[in-house]
Amino acid sequence: MKPLILTLAPLRGFTNALYRNLYSTHFQGIDTAISPFINTLSAKQINRSHIKDILPENNRGMPVIPQIIGNDPAGFIQLATKFHDLGFDTVNWNLGCPAPMVAKKRRGSGMLPYPGLIKAFLDEVIPRIPIRLSIKTRLGSEKKEEIFNLLPIFNEYPIEELIIHPRTGVQMYGGEVDLDTFEQCLGLLKMPVAYNGDILDCASFIRLRERFKAISRWLIGRGVLSNPFLPGILRSGEENIRQPVERFKKFHDELLQAYGSELSGQSHLLDKMKSYWLYFFRSFEHGEALFKKIKKADTLKKYEEITGKFLGEDARWRPGLRH
Ligand SMILES: Cc1cc2nc3c(=O)[nH]c(=O)nc-3n(C[C@H](O)[C@H](O)[C@H](O)COP(=O)(O)O)c2cc1C
């Protein structure tokens, strides 16, 4: 089998530099991360706060590939050149975001039904960027067949890697991943391909690795958020973790502290932590009931009481994840 490269998938609002740095001090197994998307802007507007998530001084834990979303070649070239100047050698282009506000502007997955636009974009961008380009895509915006109009275009360019999340945009993050169409794509592509979607446990990962022997790079998003031990488990094949609750609690408490220093106002901090529990609860027995209580907490104090008691006394780790 090919060497195993595990990449933390970008999840906007979750896998930012703060999370990535903290993750790498508590857990193992991730080789690299793709940053959540950064919008193209005109050159004048690119300042440090716009790109702070990928600045090398803010990323101590794991190597990061910055991701850009946009359909404007000039803006893309400027931002990608900026990333090169900061020392990055690869930039990723987001052709997967399904959010209606993004897609209706023909950005992210909203660009997939327009092969002509994608070709014109690549024609303009590729000769003008001093950095390698990888692409993260879905199978289509509305129909999975859209991808078959795009593969011959992608094959014409020196694309470092094509990451495929085999869903359509309208599927958002639900429904099944389409492994048969992914397999068809693999047979038609000339560049290295990476797989992304619903990697949740060892058994399903082994099945994927056995089916797609040519793949080395695997991106994992929600599976890592829910179970941060997952990359280590996939590497070792050992699903029994020593003291998972205690280790998770330390991570959780530091996450709370780190966001406390970054966010202004307790309600922002409370909302942020609640949003992580949409994923965290899945790793615990009776996690659903806990999540309901957490959602109802209307002050930070109540949040800390609920999670402190749960993680300190009641929590039992639940192996095997569901989305
Ligand atoms: C809340 C959320 C935010 C996301 N943000 C991004 C993003 O910024 N860029 C991107 O390419 N994909 C983004 N994705 C998609 C994920 O990177 C990934 O493709 C998707 O979750 C499927 O992989 P998974 O099943 O391992 O999570 C996001 C997904 C979610 C649920």
Side-chain angles (χ1 to χ4, degrees):
M1 265 192 231
K2 289 262 190 166
L4 180 56
I5 305 172
L6 296 180
T7 294
L8 179 63
L11 277 88
R12 202 156 201 250
F14 295 94
T15 63
N16 47 27
L18 180 155
Y19 176 90
R20 297 190 300 263
N21 289 333
L22 201 58
Y23 182 94
S24 58
T25 66
H26 287 263
F27 307 105
Q28 286 159 1
I30 289 288
D31 294 295
T32 175
I34 298 187
S35 80
F37 66 72
I38 298 175
N39 286 296
T40 54
L41 289 175
S42 71
K44 281 197 283 289
Q45 293 169 296
I46 302 177
N47 56 32
R48 289 176 68 79
S49 82
H50 187 60
I51 57 172
K52 76 170 195 292
D53 188 54
I54 56 90
L55 289 174
E57 67 260 33
N58 295 338
N59 285 278
R60 302 177 303 278
M62 56 181 87
V64 182
I65 296 174
Q67 184 186 68
I68 303 180
I69 197 165
N71 58 15
D72 145 41
F76 191 98
I77 293 164
Q78 274 150 4
L79 204 48
T81 305
K82 177 83 192 162
F83 294 157
H84 169 261
D85 296 345
L86 287 166
F88 292 99
D89 60 13
T90 306
V91 64
N92 181 266
W93 186 29
N94 179 321
L95 280 181
C97 181
M101 290 292 283
V102 171
K104 75 174 186 220
K105 292 187 202 146
R106 297 189 182 174
R107 299 156 86 230
S109 68
M111 206 166 172
L112 297 176
Y114 305 99
L117 275 185
I118 291 181
K119 185 171 165 36
F121 180 95
L122 292 173
D123 267 341
E124 203 166 331
V125 164
I126 288 204
R128 294 181 181 82
I129 51 172
I131 184 168
R132 294 196 281 260
L133 180 72
S134 80
I135 296 179
K136 182 165 179 282
T137 187
R138 290 186 178 235
L139 298 177
S141 174
E142 300 210 351
K143 298 192 214 91
K144 64 180 184 182
E145 290 76 18
E146 290 165 27
I147 192 80
F148 295 108
N149 296 324
L150 300 172
L151 301 183
I153 297 174
F154 293 146
N155 275 337
E156 281 177 39
Y157 298 92
I159 292 167
E160 174 80 358
E161 179 170 67
L162 186 69
I163 302 160
I164 302 180
H165 174 203
R167 284 192 167 96
T168 56
V170 289
Q171 269 185 285
M172 303 293 286
Y173 299 101
E176 297 292 308
V177 282
D178 185 341
L179 298 180
D180 293 336
T181 304
F182 177 77
E183 186 163 28
Q184 276 176 275
C185 294
L186 264 184
L188 296 168
L189 283 162
K190 293 184 183 159
M191 74 290 286
V193 175
Y195 173 86
N196 168 235
D198 295 16
I199 297 175
L200 296 175
D201 58 23
C202 263
S204 58
F205 187 55
I206 289 170
R207 280 197 297 279
L208 285 170
R209 280 195 90 192
E210 280 173 355
R211 178 160 177 188
F212 303 120
K213 293 201 170 64
I215 304 274
S216 330
R217 191 188 296 277
W218 305 85
L219 267 81
I220 319 177
R222 292 168 295 173
V224 175
L225 279 188
S226 298
N227 177 2
F229 299 103
L230 186 63
I233 290 174
L234 299 180
R235 281 189 190 285
S236 66
E238 177 51 74
E239 296 200 67
N240 288 322
I241 303 294
R242 271 183 306 108
Q243 303 189 302
V245 175
E246 291 79 352
R247 291 167 65 189
F248 177 84
K249 181 176 187 312
K250 276 194 188 143
F251 171 71
H252 166 273
D253 293 352
E254 286 182 31
L255 192 69
L256 177 66
Q257 203 179 16
Y259 272 120
S261 315
E262 188 173 288
L263 298 174
S264 60
Q266 296 210 341
S267 67
H268 285 134
L269 177 56
L270 181 60
D271 288 348
K272 179 55 82 178
M273 294 309 294
K274 283 183 179 179
S275 71
Y276 277 97
W277 276 98
L278 174 61
Y279 299 99
F280 292 164
F281 86 82
R282 293 162 210 265
S283 276
F284 295 97
E285 283 180 19
H286 310 299
E288 292 80 358
L290 170 79
F291 186 45
K292 273 192 194 152
K293 276 199 211 163
I294 289 179
K295 278 194 290 191
K296 283 193 198 138
D298 53 3
T299 62
L300 191 60
K301 188 161 174 285
K302 281 192 195 145
Y303 171 87
E304 288 183 293
E305 277 166 15
I306 296 166
T307 53
K309 176 167 181 323
F310 182 77
L311 294 173
E313 298 170 26
D314 307 332
R316 289 181 51 192
W317 198 254
R318 173 166 73 185
L321 284 176
R322 282 161 282 155
H323 273 335

